[in-house]
Amino acid sequence: MERGEEQQSGVTRRGVLGGALALGAGVGLDRLVESGSSSSAKPARRIPFHGAHQAGIATPAQEALQFAAFDLTARSSHAVRSLLRRWSEASAAMTAGRPYGSGDPGEAVGIGPAALTITIGFGPGVFRPGRFGLEARLPPELQELPVFESDALDPGHSGGDLCVQACAQDPQVAFHAVHALAGLARTEGSARLRWTQTGFGRTAATSRSQQTLRALIGFKDGTDNIRAEDAAEMRRFVWVARGDGPDWMSGGSYLIARRIRILFDSWDALGVAGQEQVIGREKQSGAPLGAKREHDPVNLNARNAAGEALIPHTAHIRLASPLTNDGQKILRRGYSYTEPTAADERGQIEAGLFFISFQRSPQSQFVPLQTRLANFDALARHTQHTSSAIFACPPGAEPEGYVGQALFE
Ligand code: HEM
């Protein structure tokens, strides 16, 4: 099934409802609510905002992303609480396909929920001593990321006190969510938009019901991702457990975002065989080098007749593999991006991967992994990290509550 076909037939029905029916409740897909009356009618398009975990992590990755980071301008924790309450109420309405109130800007009217999810997180600045009195509640895991080899970060496009990850099957619905929440922050006078990022073409499958799509490097991306159906892996690698840190984060997860530009002039010049050596997989099929099919197991010890490793020592999948990383895994949920390109001497398109990962422990999962990739991954020579952010996404809200309630009360 090709991507267009999947979209037409409704990735939401196939991927979301199909997944929910086939796999049953209890794996994050239990949040799904069908808007049509029978499985052959309308695709399931509504993902409840409320629940034990925030939606947008274990729920199947949608087609479009609108991401936003905010700086808090509020002076009191009371004002932050009030904003989070308003954001949560508005998010519950918008994910149900309704305008959030009389101030709603209106561009999503008539489109429906489009499987919208809104995931909210807190940056390290929220816990700065003397700011909101929250310093004792800072999770040790929520530290600014170190500067990695060859990082070229734009500070204006990095960091932030709050994040909103809005994902939907329709880009206008995702846009609307961020537009509406930014407007509420402005009227409340408590937060200001810091930076935004639009993403298209999910680069990760997060459910077994989804096929693997291609990143802009032309390779299937997400083959060996954690899938929401793997409840044990979700518990071990994604959800923060009681005892991991402050209780208010139990059932939450840490979000790391990295905007990674692909240097297409050098990447394209490699040709297919050269690119396959960089990734460690076949470009067409997605099979690990030395195997036949996409989901064949990766054998890092496979050698050719001359005794050389079939998957090179600098290959992306070798260095990112749990076998090379103390058994650690992360949940990838990123999107492709492209930016307007102004004429410059190199005439190179600005595009790449807006990488998003969720993990239980940034310090023992993401940091060592990215350190290894930045230093040794052959792919790092064809990419450049231009933006970086980390946020603590608390557990989901109860219907009468709001996201982050346990942090503030
Ligand atoms: C432009 C940047 C990147 C591109 C285009 C890219 C692409 C890919 C591709 C094509 C695969 C193989 C298929 C798969 O299993 O998903 C892969 C695997 C993987 N990548 Fe990346 N990647 C990028 C950056 C990163 C970064 C920054 C990280 C983490 C810090 C990362 C972590 C992983 C992991 C964990 C795997 C799976 C390895 C395994 O389970 O064996 N990637 N990536």
Side-chain angles (χ1 to χ4, degrees), residues 85-120:
R85 187 171 277 288
R86 297 225 51 198
W87 271 11
S88 298
E89 286 162 5
S91 298
M94 293 189 290
T95 52
R98 296 194 311 269
Y100 74 78
S102 56
D104 190 286
E107 69 271 34
V109 170
I111 306 179
L116 173 68
T117 55
I118 295 173
T119 317
I120 296 170

Side-chain angles (χ1 to χ4, degrees), residues 77-406:
S77 69
H78 178 80
V80 181
R81 259 197 329 254
S82 153
L83 175 68
L84 291 168
R85 187 171 277 288
R86 297 225 51 198
W87 271 11
S88 298
E89 286 162 5
S91 298
M94 293 189 290
T95 52
R98 296 194 311 269
Y100 74 78
S102 56
D104 190 286
E107 69 271 34
V109 170
I111 306 179
L116 173 68
T117 55
I118 295 173
T119 317
I120 296 170
F122 304 117
V126 172
F127 303 86
R128 210 160 50 225
R131 203 172 177 200
F132 303 114
L134 295 172
E135 46 271 34
R137 302 194 145 203
L138 170 73
E141 288 288 347
L142 185 64
Q143 287 171 36
E144 297 291 357
L145 294 174
V147 177
F148 299 101
E149 186 68 28
S150 79
D151 269 4
L153 305 183
D154 171 357
H157 207 110
S158 297
D161 291 328
L162 298 177
C163 79
V164 170
Q165 174 199 261
C167 302
Q169 291 300 88
D170 185 305
Q172 188 147 330
V173 168
F175 173 84
H176 169 253
V178 163
H179 180 195
L181 298 186
L184 276 173
R186 198 173 40 244
T187 28
E188 291 259 312
S190 45
R192 196 177 18 203
L193 199 58
R194 179 178 171 84
W195 56 273
T196 62
Q197 182 68 52
T198 305
F200 62 94
R202 63 172 168 84
T203 57
T206 57
S207 159
R208 292 212 183 286
S209 62
Q210 295 182 300
Q211 64 171 149
T212 330
L213 302 181
R214 290 177 195 273
L216 296 184
I217 56 166
F219 282 67
K220 292 184 180 179
D221 196 356
T223 304
D224 269 341
N225 205 7
I226 297 177
R227 308 292 165 124
E229 293 85 357
D230 298 332
E233 295 212 329
M234 291 297 292
R235 275 197 303 276
R236 178 160 169 220
F237 298 117
V238 180
W239 302 125
V240 174
R242 208 161 276 282
D244 281 357
D247 261 0
W248 67 266
M249 264 301 281
S250 303
S253 191
Y254 295 92
L255 181 160
I256 289 173
R258 307 276 296 178
R259 189 167 67 164
I260 309 175
R261 183 176 186 178
I262 297 168
L263 306 174
F264 284 104
D265 48 1
S266 77
W267 174 254
D268 292 344
L270 286 176
V272 173
Q275 293 174 348
E276 290 178 337
Q277 295 291 304
V278 168
I279 298 297
R281 287 183 177 269
E282 282 178 13
K283 191 168 187 177
Q284 182 62 32
S285 65
L289 296 181
K292 287 215 163 53
R293 283 171 304 268
E294 182 192 347
H295 291 285
D296 285 351
V298 175
N299 178 1
L300 294 179
N301 300 320
R303 299 189 176 271
N304 64 16
E308 296 152 348
L310 285 179
I311 298 175
H313 290 288
T314 57
H316 184 65
I317 67 159
R318 177 186 290 278
L319 295 170
S321 166
L323 297 171
T324 315
N325 291 281
D326 284 335
Q328 294 287 4
K329 295 186 175 190
I330 55 176
L331 174 71
R332 290 170 287 146
R333 210 177 185 286
Y335 288 84
S336 295
Y337 79 88
T338 181
E339 293 294 316
T341 305
D344 72 358
E345 290 144 28
R346 298 177 71 196
Q348 187 166 208
I349 196 166
E350 149 104 62
L353 171 63
F354 189 67
F355 173 96
I356 297 176
S357 65
F358 288 94
Q359 47 268 301
R360 179 176 170 188
S361 163
Q363 303 306 320
S364 50
Q365 292 172 272
F366 181 84
V367 173
L369 170 59
Q370 175 53 19
T371 303
R372 179 168 284 116
L373 293 179
N375 290 328
F376 305 115
D377 183 6
L379 184 59
R381 287 203 290 278
H382 308 281
T383 57
Q384 190 166 52
H385 290 231
T386 58
S387 144
S388 176
I390 179 168
F391 298 97
C393 300
E398 301 292 320
E400 299 306 316
Y402 60 90
V403 173
Q405 188 160 12

